[in-house]
Amino acid sequence: LGDVYKRQIDDSSFLRRLYLDLTGLLPSSDRVRSFLADREPTKRERLVDELLSDDLAYTEHWLTFWNDLLRNDYDGTGFITGGRTQISEWLYDSLRSNKPFDVMVRELVAPPDKSSAGFINGIKWRGTVSAGQTLPIQFSQSLSQSFLGINMKCASCHDSFIDRWTLADAYSLAAIYAEEPLELHRCDKATGEMAKAAWIFPEIGQIDPESSHDARLQALADLMTHQENGRVPRTIVNRLWGQLLGHGIVHPLDAMQTEPWNSDLLDWLASDFQEHAYDIKHTLRRIVTSVAYQSRTAHHEVSVDTADYAFDGPSPKRLTAEQFVDAIWQISGTAPLSWDCLLYTSDAADDLLCV
């Protein structure tokens, strides 16, 4: 990173980048002046800590990332009313309290109550659906993509053409969730073969297919958060790196079988994440205080193929829709003064969230 080190961004650019990445907001004019006037050598690290400790701004900004990752959607065209149970309140509280990621995974995979059950329960579609849209298959697909960086959608219909996952693998995961015997369907045609609940990385353990539905989910949660399961921490730190720097260490983010452009970096971040109790804010701080994050934006065209990628600074990123609207409101002073949706309050009376 020698050349990258020489291309460090100035304080003004760092301030704007960090605010947008950690809170989704622009810094106020007063904050800009005070930061630029600060001559202390640790001011960037102190700013990182300041923004990460702003629980409300951090949570409301990062909700978008987690809503997308966990498919936390709202009812509407395509599925019946009540066909999806939202996890908004659980997710908001989890981010606000900086809940350890392994605890989040456990509560999503084996929900202790209804508040986090919407992730594994998926969408109950209107009418008859294909075999690839049933609730158990949705479970297999969502679990694989969100936490393991595996696209199991192809393998839910037939053996994958692009990686090693098979129809049997997809249905093995689905059978962990299924409450009834589950028959394999290849390209929507029944095969006569019945799925057997199984974990797809048996090196660290296996699931008893004869155990109860809840016991299977609990066993899966144990395997997902097993200390020797490196796939889960690597997948999430890769997503965080990609979110902040515009390009994953493994890219695309949902194809973790792809060779990383720097395997040592990925391994170190994942190991450090585990050693610090799966603390998401800790890893965010690691990344944004790095030379890589604080370098000038790369201006060359980068391939989405990791094999052709060479790090030369963060990739250009567009503002998200939420960042753009908030920026307009901040600059113009036209933010709405009242809410137009149902609200719930968290642990503070002034802490409100649309659901």
Side-chain angles (χ1 to χ4, degrees):
L1 292 176
D3 291 339
V4 173
Y5 184 81
K6 298 175 184 177
R7 300 173 58 245
Q8 296 294 281
I9 53 177
D10 58 27
D11 285 342
S12 179
S13 298
F14 174 77
L15 179 68
R16 183 175 61 252
R17 178 183 292 179
L18 193 71
Y19 258 84
L20 286 169
D21 279 340
L22 294 187
T23 71
L25 303 171
L26 294 172
S28 68
S29 55
D30 288 343
R31 191 66 186 93
V32 172
R33 283 190 288 268
S34 67
F35 186 74
L36 296 182
D38 190 343
R39 294 293 180 260
E40 290 294 326
T42 61
K43 69 178 185 178
R44 292 194 179 191
E45 289 77 9
R46 287 189 285 108
L47 177 63
V48 171
D49 292 336
E50 173 191 325
L51 296 185
L52 287 175
S53 66
D54 186 346
D55 295 334
L56 182 58
Y58 164 83
T59 298
E60 292 189 350
H61 171 57
W62 282 88
L63 270 173
T64 302
F65 169 86
W66 290 98
N67 278 333
D68 290 345
L69 179 61
L70 301 176
R71 296 161 176 77
N72 184 34
D73 209 340
Y74 305 88
D75 59 359
T77 303
F79 48 93
I80 63 175
T81 300
R84 176 190 284 279
T85 303
Q86 297 171 30
I87 60 170
S88 301
E89 186 170 350
W90 173 87
L91 180 56
Y92 184 87
D93 288 341
S94 296
L95 296 179
R96 183 75 186 271
S97 64
N98 195 34
K99 183 179 293 181
F101 181 67
D102 60 333
V103 177
M104 291 177 65
V105 171
R106 295 187 68 89
E107 293 181 0
L108 288 166
V109 174
D113 54 52
K114 292 181 180 179
S115 65
S116 60
F119 172 73
I120 63 169
N121 288 340
I123 301 171
K124 185 177 180 182
W125 296 98
R126 176 182 289 119
T128 302
V129 299
S130 71
Q133 293 176 296
T134 62
L135 293 179
I137 292 297
Q138 287 182 48
F139 169 84
S140 176
Q141 295 170 348
S142 296
L143 182 90
S144 299
Q145 187 165 343
S146 297
F147 299 133
L148 302 173
I150 295 172
N151 182 349
M152 201 64 85
K153 291 175 182 168
C154 290
S156 299
C157 185
H158 49 74
D159 292 351
S160 177
F161 299 139
I162 59 174
D163 54 41
R164 69 184 180 92
W165 305 109
T166 66
L167 185 69
D169 291 326
Y171 271 81
S172 292
L173 282 179
I176 298 172
Y177 172 91
E179 305 226 37
E180 303 292 338
L182 186 62
E183 184 178 9
L184 274 68
H185 285 67
R186 179 174 287 105
C187 298
D188 230 25
K189 295 182 179 179
T191 65
E193 181 182 353
M194 304 306 293
K196 180 180 179 181
W199 170 237
I200 57 176
F201 295 108
E203 298 85 354
I204 59 173
Q206 195 46 272
I207 292 170
D208 179 3
E210 303 303 321
S211 59
S212 68
H213 171 265
D214 290 347
R216 295 196 304 272
L217 290 178
Q218 189 61 57
L220 178 60
D222 292 341
L223 290 167
M224 292 282 288
T225 57
H226 194 288
Q227 190 63 25
E228 295 181 16
N229 183 349
R231 185 63 171 250
V232 170
R234 280 172 173 78
T235 299
I236 189 59
V237 299
N238 186 60
R239 291 190 186 281
L240 295 177
W241 180 281
Q243 182 73 10
L244 292 169
L245 283 92
H247 191 284
I249 304 170
V250 172
H251 205 85
L253 302 177
D254 292 327
M256 286 297 289
Q257 77 280 358
T258 307
E259 188 70 21
W261 59 264
N262 190 320
S263 57
D264 289 340
L265 173 61
L266 180 62
D267 289 347
W268 184 86
L269 279 174
S271 176
D272 182 67
F273 183 53
Q274 288 182 295
E275 289 173 3
H276 288 84
Y278 296 85
D279 185 335
I280 296 168
K281 285 188 177 182
H282 168 81
T283 295
L284 291 176
R285 190 183 193 282
R286 283 286 198 206
I287 296 173
V288 299
T289 56
S290 69
V291 169
Y293 177 83
Q294 296 184 35
S295 61
R296 287 200 297 258
T297 303
H299 293 293
H300 57 77
E301 291 292 329
V302 295
S303 169
V304 297
D305 183 357
T306 300
D308 298 332
Y309 178 79
F311 182 81
D312 191 30
S315 297
K317 296 184 296 182
R318 290 189 177 94
L319 293 178
T320 66
E322 292 83 3
Q323 288 171 325
F324 181 78
V325 169
D326 284 342
I328 295 296
W329 283 347
Q330 284 182 268
I331 294 169
S332 63
T334 56
L337 301 177
S338 61
W339 299 92
D340 294 324
C341 59
L342 296 175
L343 304 170
Y344 80 87
T345 58
S346 184
D347 55 357
D350 60 346
D351 181 6
L352 304 176
L353 175 70
C354 291
V355 297

